[in-house]
């Protein structure tokens, strides 16, 4: 068997390449998913591997990087794929605060049992299309396709300072589009039950994993971040979204919430507080909300503030100044500008 990376010829029974040490894998002829050598069925589409269909390393090598790149565009927002590839060395193994969202179609199993597969397939194809696009609209990524739903991430592998807010707005948009789609289906299939999504959202730490040679992005959760997001989805009523207390605190003031109360969830000794976002509020940003509630003391950015104030004084004297403030999301760029513009600093803008 020839390695798809280094073209080294390995014995048929080899599991790892003798030339580069990489694990040898096989490519599904149906969906191009990379599978372990000992698999008889494809993990992605269920295709059975027969003797004459046995994928080879040569067929995997024949897929160009352009083809692989094209394939993952469906699961990544516009421009994100390029950023992931460009920052591969930096994001690999990095710990990040991420908002995880689970979406699940209510009653799919019952609907599948009562309808012909030829009717079900286009419905699910459209549902998945809605989910993917509405996640991408808010710069999230679809991490996994789970039967009649998805798992999406906001804030990884590329950081977003307002990831929790984006996830909730994405959930609102998903509910709206699914409702429109359901209404249009009822006109064609009068016996079809209404389509509704359950959505759960939680914010916590994850570690960004490796990007394989087929450009498949993997993420490994630290603690129970992903599990708790899944539990939130299970607690949601059809057509609604449930968020954890962590996500609620990060978006308080940006949305009107209904407090569901404490709920027992699997894997947790005590109850957890659950909230249901109802509608967006009139506040435009998290910083606006923080300003209204009262900001914490401004610490650790005095030097940067002095640079801005000095540049402003030089600008007033006729010497033009240009500053760029660049940093990771959430480290305090907006707060720095706020302190610069605050009348209390006697900066007459």
């Amino acid at each position: 068997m020839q390695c798809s990376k280094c073209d080294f010829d390995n014995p048929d029974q080899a599991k790892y390449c003798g030339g580069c040490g990489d694990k040898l894998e096989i490519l599904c002829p149906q969906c191009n998913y990379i599978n372990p050598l000992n698999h008889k069925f494809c993990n992605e589409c269920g295709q059975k591997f027969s003797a004459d269909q046995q994928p080879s390393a040569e067929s995997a090598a024949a897929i160009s990087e352009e083809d692989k790149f094209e394939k993952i565009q469906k699961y990544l927002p516009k421009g994100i794929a390029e950023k992931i590839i460009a920052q591969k060395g930096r994001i690999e193994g990095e710990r990040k605060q991420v908002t995880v969202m689970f979406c699940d179609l209510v009653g799919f199993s019952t609907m599948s049992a009562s309808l012909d597969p030829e009717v079900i397939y286009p419905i699910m194809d459209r549902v998945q299309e809605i989910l993917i696009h509405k996640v991408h609209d808010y710069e999230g990524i679809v991490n996994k396709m789970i039967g009649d739903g998805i798992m999406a991430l906001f804030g990884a592998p590329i950081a977003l300072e307002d990831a929790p807010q984006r996830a909730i707005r994405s959930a609102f948009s998903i509910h709206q589009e699914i409702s429109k789609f359901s209404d249009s289906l009822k006109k064609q299939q009068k016996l079809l039950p209404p389509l509704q999504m359950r959505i759960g959202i939680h914010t916590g730490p994850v570690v960004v994993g490796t990007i394989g040679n087929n450009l498949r992005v993997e993420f490994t959760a630290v603690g129970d971040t992903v599990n708790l997001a899944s539990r939130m989805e299970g607690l949601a009523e059809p057509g609604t979204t449930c968020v954890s207390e962590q996500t609620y605190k990060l978006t308080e003031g940006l949305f009107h919430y209904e407090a569901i109360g404490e709920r027992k969830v699997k894997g947790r000794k005590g109850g957890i507080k659950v909230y249901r976002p109802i509608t967006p509020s009139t506040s435009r940003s998290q910083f606006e909300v923080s300003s209204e509630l009262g900001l914490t003391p401004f610490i650790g950015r005095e030097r940067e503030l002095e640079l801005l104030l000095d540049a402003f004084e030089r600008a007033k004297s006729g010497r033009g100044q240009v500053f760029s403030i660049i940093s990771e999301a959430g480290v305090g760029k907006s707060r720095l500008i706020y302190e610069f513009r605050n009348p209390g600093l006697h900066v007459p803008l």
Side-chain angles (χ1 to χ4, degrees):
M1 176 176 287
Q2 191 175 46
C3 177
S4 61
K5 273 196 171 182
C6 67
D7 294 329
F8 185 83
D9 286 324
N10 296 280
D12 290 340
Q13 69 274 17
K15 295 182 179 178
Y16 292 86
C17 177
C20 65
D22 268 15
K23 188 174 181 179
L24 297 173
E25 298 166 313
I26 55 178
L27 187 73
C28 175
Q30 184 74 16
C31 67
N32 291 333
Y33 182 80
I34 302 296
N35 292 271
L37 283 177
N38 61 344
H39 277 209
K40 296 180 180 179
F41 295 88
C42 176
N43 272 348
E44 184 73 11
C45 69
Q47 172 72 23
K48 183 177 181 179
F49 299 148
S50 60
D52 59 331
Q53 290 175 326
Q54 188 68 25
S56 64
E58 287 85 349
S59 61
I63 300 178
S64 67
E65 291 301 313
E66 290 77 11
D67 291 336
K68 295 172 184 174
F69 187 80
E70 180 70 22
K71 184 179 177 183
I72 64 170
Q73 293 301 307
K74 181 180 179 182
Y75 302 100
L76 296 174
K78 185 178 181 181
I80 293 295
E82 293 92 336
K83 292 180 182 179
I84 291 174
I85 302 306
Q87 300 183 34
K88 176 182 176 181
R90 287 170 46 196
I91 67 175
E92 189 170 330
E94 185 177 0
R95 183 184 177 94
K96 286 181 177 289
Q97 183 85 352
V98 172
T99 298
V100 183
M101 180 172 77
F102 275 85
C103 303
D104 183 68
L105 186 64
V106 178
F108 173 70
S109 299
T110 303
M111 186 171 63
S112 299
S114 61
L115 295 175
D116 190 279
E118 292 184 358
V119 175
I120 290 293
Y121 180 81
I123 292 175
M124 289 311 305
D125 190 51
R126 176 57 182 153
V127 167
Q128 295 283 12
E129 184 181 7
I130 290 172
L131 294 176
I132 290 170
H133 282 297
K134 292 307 172 183
V135 168
H136 289 185
D137 283 349
Y138 294 89
E139 297 191 44
I141 71 163
V142 176
N143 183 232
K144 291 181 182 178
M145 310 291 286
I146 311 172
D148 54 342
I150 60 167
M151 170 186 163
L153 300 176
F154 294 81
I158 306 300
L160 298 169
E161 61 185 24
D162 54 353
Q165 179 189 160
R166 288 174 182 268
I168 294 172
R169 294 190 185 279
S170 173
F172 281 144
S173 187
I174 287 170
H175 286 309
Q176 185 178 34
E177 287 301 310
I178 291 294
S179 179
K180 289 180 182 178
F181 179 50
S182 179
D183 290 343
S184 67
L185 280 177
K186 288 291 287 183
K187 296 176 182 178
Q188 307 167 24
Q189 301 276 343
K190 296 191 181 297
L191 297 179
L192 190 71
L195 300 180
Q196 293 180 303
M197 301 297 299
R198 287 194 184 96
I199 299 179
I201 298 172
H202 172 59
T203 304
V206 301
V207 172
V208 180
T210 60
I211 300 176
N213 62 354
N214 64 336
L215 304 187
R216 182 178 176 84
V217 185
E218 300 288 349
F219 298 88
T220 302
V222 175
D224 62 353
T225 298
V226 173
N227 289 337
L228 192 49
S230 178
R231 302 293 181 236
M232 291 297 103
E233 178 263 303
L235 292 172
E237 295 292 327
T240 69
T241 300
C242 280
V243 307
S244 64
E245 185 177 13
Q246 290 88 332
T247 301
Y248 165 75
K249 288 180 177 179
L250 291 169
T251 56
E252 185 180 7
L254 292 171
F255 302 94
H256 298 294
Y257 280 98
E258 176 187 354
I260 305 300
E262 286 198 355
R263 294 289 185 270
K264 297 282 290 183
V265 299
K266 185 177 179 181
R268 290 276 183 134
K269 291 183 178 179
I272 60 170
K273 292 181 179 179
V274 182
Y275 298 83
R276 178 183 298 147
I278 306 301
T279 58
S281 72
T282 55
S283 298
R284 294 189 301 274
S285 70
Q286 184 62 52
F287 190 79
E288 284 185 356
V289 174
S290 299
S291 300
E292 294 170 1
L293 296 176
L295 296 169
T296 57
F298 184 67
I299 298 173
R301 291 290 183 268
E302 292 82 2
R303 174 58 180 161
E304 289 83 353
L305 183 57
E306 287 177 8
L307 289 173
L308 290 176
L309 293 172
D310 290 344
F312 182 68
E313 292 300 322
R314 289 195 295 272
K316 286 197 298 182
S317 67
R319 291 176 291 171
Q321 303 290 311
V322 177
F323 268 74
S324 294
I325 302 175
I326 303 171
S327 68
E328 280 287 320
V331 300
K333 298 185 293 297
S334 298
R335 178 64 186 275
L336 178 61
I337 296 300
Y338 174 85
E339 295 294 332
F340 173 66
R341 296 178 60 90
N342 191 303
L345 297 175
H346 307 293
V347 182
L349 290 180

